[in-house]
Amino acid sequence: MKIAVVGGGSTYTPELVSGLSRDRDRIGVTELVLQDIDPERREVVGGLAERMLRNQGYDGALQVTDDLDRALDGADFVLIQIRVGGQDARLSDETVPLACGCIGQETTGAGGLGKALRTVPVVLEIAERVRELAADGAWIIDFTNPVGIVTRALLDAGHRALGLCNVAITTQRHVAKLLGVEPQRVLVDQVGLNHLSWVRRVLLDGEDVLPDLLAEHGDELARDAGVSGRLLDELGVLPSYYLHYYYAHDRVLAEQAEGVPRAATVAEIERELLELYRDPNLVEKPALLEQRGGAFYSEAAIGLVGAIAADTGEMHVVDVRNAGTVEGLAAEDVVEVPARVDRSGATPLSQPRVAPELLGLIQHVTAYEKLALAAALSGDPVVVRKALLTHPLIGQDALADELADRLLEAGAKHLPQFRAPEGVA
């Protein structure tokens, strides 16, 4: 089996390599290719990956390259983990909205739209090369944000793709720790969209223990989610961390106005990580990587690859077509829910009707995601403004107009679809 990682110079990659090596007997990887356009990252991250694999007894091939076609040729799985524009673009996604009095976050709200506009066309170009060069039946696993919008773009273009986020597996690990059990015994049954989801059941050996968890650990779970304990009591569900941008909007906005952008913190962590990765004696992922974000990404990614490759039918939380799973959404919408995964792909588990206080927000953001994708593909500033006008964190004409201008100006270098054709004023 050949696995290609596009964006293999990411500081996440050692986490992924660790998981690949650990599960190599189940997955049977014979060739791993790390592709990246950044020469420094290729050298540094690729070097650490080689030492890690050698230390773990991996006897397959490892290639590190800038050649996308070479990486994709004959690949069975293609993992996409890119950041168009790098950390500078992330900083822009966080600070441009904030300057307009809006939440500054790279996947939520206006910042998420800026990221989608840059990212969707690039991922679709990569996917077309996958279609032409990869093995028959190859799968694309997308970890590139905004995952829901990117996954929808891939599926709309007819690609065999699944979206993957680390929120569900992080919740599973945290809940298992609270319960004092092995994570494999816990299933997090969540419903919603990428970065907009609620856990409605926590199954321990098949029995729902969420009510007990909320009763015994509600204050801690509320703090982790950035919301009040009263809200958890009244909703009776566990919202993802990203919901606090909606449920505690004014407080978060005030904190962001006074604080240091997360992008600046992550950029510093990445500099430190790359320096650590240069150590020729380092053969394991460093503890600092846990502060980078994306916890348990490797376990989620490798678990998903293994379920497809081995045709196991295991349960994984993925981004897939709704196809009637969530009542109140269209079949072609993309949701993030538990699914049974095997060689044929992911079949979402049946979901009971979603309460209106949750469904209303899901429908609202789904409408925005449709427009965000249309804007990314069309290069039409009017559609950009419509997307911003539709998002529940924005929703005002003058604000949408200002944000659209600022986002397009800030991202101009990476937005060729918005440039007028040559000779057209």
Side-chain angles (χ1 to χ4, degrees):
M1 179 190 297
K2 177 178 178 179
I3 295 180
V5 183
V6 180
S10 167
T11 52
Y12 283 128
T13 297
E15 173 93 0
L16 182 64
V17 168
S18 178
L20 277 170
S21 180
R22 183 178 56 251
D23 288 354
R24 65 182 180 274
D25 291 338
R26 183 167 79 112
I27 299 178
V29 181
T30 55
E31 184 177 1
L32 173 64
V33 185
L34 305 180
Q35 184 274 343
D36 205 285
I37 61 174
D38 187 309
E40 178 189 15
R41 285 176 175 266
R42 280 200 314 273
E43 178 183 358
V44 174
V45 176
L48 174 57
E50 192 277 331
R51 296 193 302 273
M52 290 176 65
L53 291 170
R54 185 174 62 239
N55 183 63
Q56 295 163 2
Y58 171 73
D59 58 2
L62 170 67
Q63 295 185 51
V64 182
T65 181
D66 65 345
D67 189 332
L68 179 64
D69 287 0
R70 178 183 174 189
L72 300 179
D73 186 32
D76 299 285
F77 289 90
V78 178
L79 279 59
I80 303 180
Q81 53 177 41
I82 63 172
R83 181 181 293 279
V84 179
Q87 291 298 332
D88 288 343
R90 175 176 181 164
L91 183 61
S92 174
D93 292 339
E94 295 180 3
T95 55
V96 167
L98 197 57
C100 297
C102 293
I103 292 291
Q105 212 282 327
E106 64 157 343
T107 65
T108 300
L113 177 59
K115 188 174 180 66
L117 297 178
R118 295 191 308 272
T119 305
V120 165
V122 176
V123 171
L124 288 178
E125 288 179 7
I126 293 168
E128 283 304 313
R129 300 306 293 161
V130 172
R131 198 198 303 271
E132 295 175 16
L133 297 170
D136 291 341
W139 280 93
I140 295 173
I141 308 297
D142 178 69
F143 190 64
T144 297
N145 281 316
V147 169
I149 297 172
V150 172
T151 301
R152 183 171 186 137
L154 288 166
L155 294 175
D156 284 357
H159 299 289
R160 286 165 60 91
L162 293 171
L164 180 65
C165 180
N166 71 310
V167 167
I169 193 171
T170 301
T171 302
Q172 179 207 39
R173 294 303 195 265
H174 182 50
V175 165
K177 186 176 181 180
L178 291 176
L179 295 172
V181 301
E182 291 297 314
Q184 292 74 18
R185 295 174 58 190
V186 177
L187 174 66
V188 171
D189 188 2
Q190 70 173 57
V191 67
L193 313 177
N194 178 244
H195 289 188
L196 193 93
S197 61
W198 298 260
V199 175
R200 296 194 291 176
R201 294 190 305 164
V202 173
L203 301 180
L204 174 61
D205 299 332
E207 180 180 352
D208 185 14
V209 297
L210 181 58
D212 293 337
L213 271 171
L214 293 177
E216 297 174 16
H217 302 283
D219 290 342
E220 179 180 350
L221 292 169
R223 283 195 302 272
D224 291 341
V227 298
S228 69
R230 176 194 54 76
L231 182 64
L232 262 62
D233 291 339
E234 293 182 354
L235 293 179
V237 298
L238 180 60
S240 81
Y241 171 81
Y242 291 90
L243 266 302
H244 87 300
Y245 294 114
Y246 301 82
Y247 291 153
H249 175 277
D250 291 355
R251 188 200 78 214
V252 173
L253 185 59
E255 291 172 351
Q256 288 187 340
E258 297 296 327
V260 176
R262 172 67 179 164
T265 302
V266 169
E268 180 57 33
I269 291 173
E270 288 213 323
R271 282 191 288 270
E272 294 179 32
L273 282 170
L274 290 171
E275 191 59 37
L276 288 173
Y277 292 176
R278 287 185 172 91
D279 182 354
N281 297 312
L282 184 66
V283 294
E284 296 179 349
K285 61 179 182 179
L288 180 62
L289 184 54
E290 296 178 5
Q291 298 179 33
R292 167 64 181 84
F296 307 111
Y297 156 52
S298 73
E299 293 182 46
I302 300 310
L304 183 57
V305 169
I308 296 173
D311 197 28
T312 65
E314 296 170 7
M315 300 297 178
H316 292 271
V317 175
V318 291
D319 287 77
V320 292
R321 290 286 196 204
N322 180 47
T325 304
V326 177
E327 185 178 336
L329 296 182
E332 68 271 16
D333 291 336
V334 169
V335 293
E336 189 170 281
V337 292
R340 191 176 299 278
V341 180
D342 54 25
R343 189 174 293 122
S344 65
T347 303
L349 300 187
S350 177
Q351 290 285 335
R353 182 172 294 179
V354 178
E357 61 270 22
L358 313 184
L359 181 60
L361 189 51
I362 293 173
Q363 291 171 323
H364 202 160
V365 176
T366 296
Y368 150 76
E369 289 192 344
K370 292 178 183 178
L371 288 164
L373 176 55
L377 295 176
S378 68
D380 186 344
V382 173
V383 186
V384 174
R385 289 192 287 274
K386 286 181 179 180
L388 291 164
L389 192 63
T390 303
H391 200 289
L393 293 180
I394 303 160
Q396 299 181 63
D397 178 30
L399 190 55
D401 191 33
E402 181 183 6
L403 278 167
D405 289 345
R406 291 195 180 205
L407 288 173
L408 294 178
E409 180 181 0
K413 179 181 178 182
H414 304 288
L415 299 174
Q417 71 271 42
F418 287 91
R419 298 173 195 155
E422 291 187 12
V424 178

